[in-house]
Amino acid sequence: MIKKMAGCIREYKKPTLLTLLFIVLEAVIETFIPFITANLVNRIKNGIEMPYIIKTGVLLVVLACISLMCGGIAGFTCAKASAGFAKNLRSDIYRKVQTYTFENIDKFSSSSLVTRMTTDVANVQMSFMMIIRTAIRSPLMLIFSIIMAYVMGGALATTFVVIVPVLALGLFLVSKKAMPAFRRVFRKYDRLNESIEENVRGMRVVKGFSREDYEKEKFGLAAEDIRGDFTKAEKIVALNRPIMQFCVYFNMIFVLLVGSKMTITSGGADIDVGQISAMLTYGMQVLMSLMMLSMIYVILTMSSESIKRICEVLDETPALHNPENPVTEVSDGSVDFENVCFKYSSKAEKNALADINVHISSGMTVGIIGGTGSSKSTLVQLIPRLYDVTEGSVKVGGIDVRDYDVETLRSSVAMVLQKNLLFSGTIKENLRWGNKEATDEEIIEACKLAQADDFVSSFPDGYDTKIEQGGTNVSGGQKQRLCIARALLKKPKILILDDSTSAVDTKTDALIRAGFASYISDTTKIIIAQRISSVQDADMIIVMDNGTISDIGTHGELLEKSEIYREVYTQQVSGGEENE
């Protein structure tokens, strides 16, 4: 894990090393200043001329300025290094997630991935900053201060033999006791973020069912759970301060009492006022260094859980891989399912798809009908290789999809889902997801075919109208038509419409299908629909039932031989007559 984290430093090695260098210089100077001050105090006591005092005073000011400058530069380089480290780490996580398949994403919830890229990265960034600055400075200050204390105080420095182990043990026990609570907190952040994400995405449903109070209660419970763990941990960590104060005051009393007695009895021969002053300063430096080390221990232990969570994402192996010598061209839009069986998980007891055998010629229009849960969407997701089959094979253009370069395959397949997503930006920018080189004329033509041009043109800014995040400022039907236009701009060899005209009326649906026939006549069109009218003119209609193909045929053939198709058709026709 350490090696993986260190690999994210990359171009920020220089500011990292500079931070370490200036921190060492700062620590050396700070421990040397009390030594010079102590000698000056002793010299003044014994009588000394003003030029020496001025000279020493100037030296102390210069050393203090150099120490301040080193600390300032270290702070600047540390900030640059830690922020750059976090940027690289966040970028690595994001790039890794982009390689995930649906199977990998199913393993992590979206809220958990967001937490890992935000809260966990922030924790690791804080730890990195502490390591290259405080974690270097504190041990150096501790070591240098103890050495100088023995140089200045001699036997009086034995106070550290008692006080340092006591303080170190106390701080260690406090930190160790607080760690389990800190570890639990980061796991619970996922639950809190999940509550927020679900509530924001499902705001219309929440308000439609008047479930605001329930959602508030659910969020409150998650927030209270985190608050409880944090409060428990912080109460324990708060013991650091009284332990520290006890050791500081004990050290001061011991040095003043014993040091004063030694000064009086020896007449200043063994130890003098200057040494006592230096011992107090070094004692404070030693104890403060130990306090900082204890805080570093707490932060590192907290971030260790975050590091583990981040490494889980970085170590995750994408479920799909390119073959060694991938095919980089899709010849046509033919699709073959040969003895296909599929499970979403190897642990699943039942197949989502079983014994699927069907041939779709290039350029055909194919309809897929079936009840909810009949695995219609699962079937078409195997074509662009969003999942790999468990058994059998799916072929596009006569070649197994596993033999293609994944990007090549997916560039030849366009999917329009029922719940399609529009991104923040203008309508034109969203449409160019289908073809970034598309001209304004091509965009308008695609929108006309998708029956989107009329409502887009009615906006004051037309195609430069800003789309809010998630497309919340357009209706469901408008969003679907824009997504269809985006897919048309891709000019794919295979176009898959997964119930993507459910929010438009039957007349608009018919106009869209007519546009397909003229604009992408050579493209294979696979239409999943709930309405018979959306697929009755298709060259072939597949009837799905419980993960298997119940029947295949044209509209007329299925009315004769498929009980499921005939039942759906009858219900829709009679329902239409009643509505009329």
Side-chain angles (χ1 to χ4, degrees):
M1 289 193 297
I2 294 174
K3 184 178 180 181
K4 195 176 291 292
M5 293 297 104
C8 295
I9 300 173
R10 295 200 285 274
E11 69 269 28
Y12 296 96
K13 288 179 181 177
K14 183 178 178 180
T16 300
L17 294 174
L18 286 175
T19 301
L20 300 176
L21 173 63
F22 285 108
I23 284 296
V24 171
L25 291 174
E26 182 188 20
V28 170
I29 294 171
E30 283 199 23
T31 52
F32 195 62
I33 287 175
F35 176 77
I36 297 174
T37 304
N39 287 331
L40 178 61
V41 170
N42 289 336
R43 291 284 189 94
I44 292 174
K45 178 187 173 184
N46 296 327
I48 194 172
E49 296 180 356
M50 185 57 69
Y52 181 82
I53 296 174
I54 295 173
K55 180 180 177 182
T56 306
V58 171
L59 176 61
L60 288 172
V61 170
V62 171
L63 289 176
C65 289
I66 294 174
S67 176
L68 181 64
M69 181 184 70
C70 289
I73 295 174
F76 174 79
T77 54
C78 179
K80 184 177 180 180
S82 61
F85 165 79
K87 180 204 74 173
N88 287 342
L89 179 57
R90 195 174 288 111
S91 176
D92 288 352
I93 298 172
Y94 185 78
R95 290 175 184 274
K96 183 69 175 183
V97 171
Q98 295 304 305
T99 68
Y100 283 3
T101 63
F102 283 2
E103 182 178 340
N104 297 113
I105 293 173
D106 291 343
K107 183 177 178 180
F108 302 96
S109 67
S110 58
S111 59
S112 178
L113 289 172
V114 170
T115 304
R116 293 171 202 240
M117 279 193 276
T118 52
T119 304
D120 288 329
V121 170
N123 290 334
V124 177
Q125 178 184 357
M126 178 65 71
S127 295
F128 179 74
M129 185 167 58
M130 295 287 284
I131 288 171
I132 64 173
R133 191 172 185 184
T134 311
I136 297 298
R137 187 181 188 279
S138 295
L140 288 176
M141 288 293 294
L142 179 65
I143 294 169
F144 293 159
S145 296
I146 290 176
I147 291 173
M148 293 303 294
Y150 270 100
V151 170
M152 297 297 296
L156 190 59
T158 54
T159 180
F160 296 122
V161 176
V162 177
I163 203 67
V164 168
V166 170
L167 180 58
L169 179 62
L171 297 178
F172 173 75
L173 291 176
V174 167
S175 302
K176 186 177 180 181
K177 190 74 175 176
M179 284 313 103
F182 280 125
R183 288 194 183 100
R184 288 195 300 271
V185 164
F186 296 112
R187 297 189 187 100
K188 291 175 181 178
Y189 268 126
D190 290 348
R191 199 169 120 201
L192 184 69
N193 285 348
E194 184 177 352
S195 176
I196 297 170
E197 182 184 12
E198 284 185 348
N199 188 272
V200 172
R201 284 188 175 183
M203 185 62 69
R204 289 179 174 83
V205 177
V206 172
K207 291 188 178 298
F209 284 88
S210 299
R211 297 285 282 177
E212 291 92 342
D213 291 339
Y214 171 78
E215 288 297 322
K216 288 176 185 177
E217 183 181 355
K218 187 171 72 171
F219 177 83
L221 289 173
E224 177 63 25
D225 202 12
I226 291 176
R227 184 206 63 79
D229 281 341
F230 256 127
T231 301
K232 182 179 179 180
E234 292 295 343
K235 283 180 179 178
I236 298 170
V237 172
L239 294 173
N240 279 352
R241 187 171 183 82
I243 293 173
M244 175 71 182
Q245 288 178 330
F246 170 78
C247 293
V248 168
Y249 294 140
F250 176 86
N251 179 70
M252 289 175 62
I253 293 170
F254 182 85
V255 170
L256 287 172
L257 287 177
V258 177
S260 299
K261 183 178 179 181
M262 291 175 64
T263 301
I264 294 169
T265 55
S266 66
D270 294 334
I271 191 169
D272 211 336
V273 178
Q275 280 89 333
I276 293 176
S277 173
M279 284 295 296
L280 291 173
T281 302
Y282 287 130
M284 184 61 71
Q285 288 181 348
V286 167
L287 298 175
M288 288 302 297
S289 296
L290 282 172
M291 174 63 95
M292 291 308 299
L293 285 173
S294 74
M295 294 308 298
I296 292 167
Y297 175 75
V298 171
I299 291 173
L300 289 179
T301 308
M302 286 171 58
S303 64
S304 66
E305 187 67 25
S306 293
I307 292 173
K308 289 177 185 176
R309 286 161 53 82
I310 289 171
C311 286
E312 285 176 359
V313 177
L314 295 176
D315 291 337
E316 178 75 5
T317 303
L320 304 181
H321 301 277
N322 269 342
E324 290 186 8
N325 298 301
V327 177
T328 56
E329 184 178 354
V330 178
S331 59
D332 58 53
S334 63
V335 180
D336 292 281
F337 291 87
E338 297 179 353
N339 303 314
V340 168
C341 293
F342 173 73
K343 292 180 180 179
Y344 279 104
S345 170
S346 58
K347 297 179 182 179
E349 296 181 359
K350 185 181 177 182
N351 286 325
L353 291 169
D355 302 321
I356 304 297
N357 286 280
V358 64
H359 170 71
I360 300 172
S361 299
S362 182
M364 286 183 70
T365 298
V366 177
I368 302 179
I369 288 285
T372 302
S374 58
S375 298
K376 305 184 295 296
S377 297
T378 302
L379 180 71
V380 296
Q381 285 176 357
L382 299 179
I383 297 173
R385 205 185 170 197
L386 299 180
Y387 293 95
D388 267 343
V389 297
T390 306
E391 297 177 23
S393 66
V394 177
K395 295 180 179 179
V396 171
I399 298 174
D400 195 311
V401 293
R402 290 168 291 194
D403 294 331
Y404 280 108
D405 171 71
V406 174
E407 187 175 346
T408 297
L409 175 65
R410 292 177 183 170
S411 295
S412 300
V413 180
M415 292 188 70
V416 184
L417 307 176
Q418 181 181 9
K419 294 181 180 179
N420 254 292
L421 179 67
L422 294 175
F423 297 90
S424 301
T426 65
I427 290 176
K428 192 179 293 183
E429 288 169 347
N430 270 276
L431 293 173
R432 284 199 171 117
W433 273 66
N435 178 7
K436 62 182 179 181
E437 304 297 334
T439 63
D440 289 351
E441 290 74 18
E442 288 174 326
I443 288 173
I444 293 171
E445 182 184 10
C447 283
K448 285 181 177 179
L449 291 165
Q451 306 304 305
D453 181 64
D454 288 344
F455 77 80
V456 172
S457 299
S458 69
F459 294 146
D461 295 324
Y463 285 87
D464 292 317
T465 299
K466 292 285 186 181
I467 295 291
E468 295 178 4
Q469 185 178 15
T472 55
N473 59 330
V474 290
S475 69
Q478 290 172 339
K479 188 187 299 184
Q480 284 188 339
R481 282 176 277 172
L482 287 173
C483 291
I484 292 171
R486 182 171 64 187
L488 291 174
L489 281 171
K490 196 173 182 180
K491 295 182 180 178
K493 287 186 168 59
I494 300 171
L495 174 65
I496 300 171
L497 304 178
D498 188 354
D499 207 11
S500 54
T501 57
S502 58
V504 301
D505 58 83
T506 54
K507 180 181 178 182
T508 303
D509 185 13
L511 290 172
I512 291 172
R513 286 184 281 111
F516 291 165
S518 61
Y519 188 70
I520 49 171
S521 57
D522 296 332
T523 296
T524 302
K525 297 162 281 292
I526 301 175
I527 304 170
I528 296 176
Q530 299 295 333
R531 294 187 299 221
I532 296 290
S533 60
S534 297
V535 298
Q536 66 181 13
D537 296 327
D539 301 312
M540 178 172 69
I541 302 172
I542 300 171
V543 181
M544 298 288 296
D545 182 35
N546 198 27
T548 62
I549 294 178
S550 173
D551 278 298
I552 298 177
T554 62
H555 173 67
E557 291 170 345
L558 291 174
L559 282 176
E560 293 181 4
K561 67 178 182 178
S562 173
E563 183 178 344
I564 295 174
Y565 189 85
R566 188 166 53 248
E567 182 180 347
V568 173
Y569 177 76
T570 302
Q571 289 175 346
Q572 291 184 5
V573 169
S574 62
E577 290 173 351
E578 288 173 5
N579 290 333
E580 292 175 358

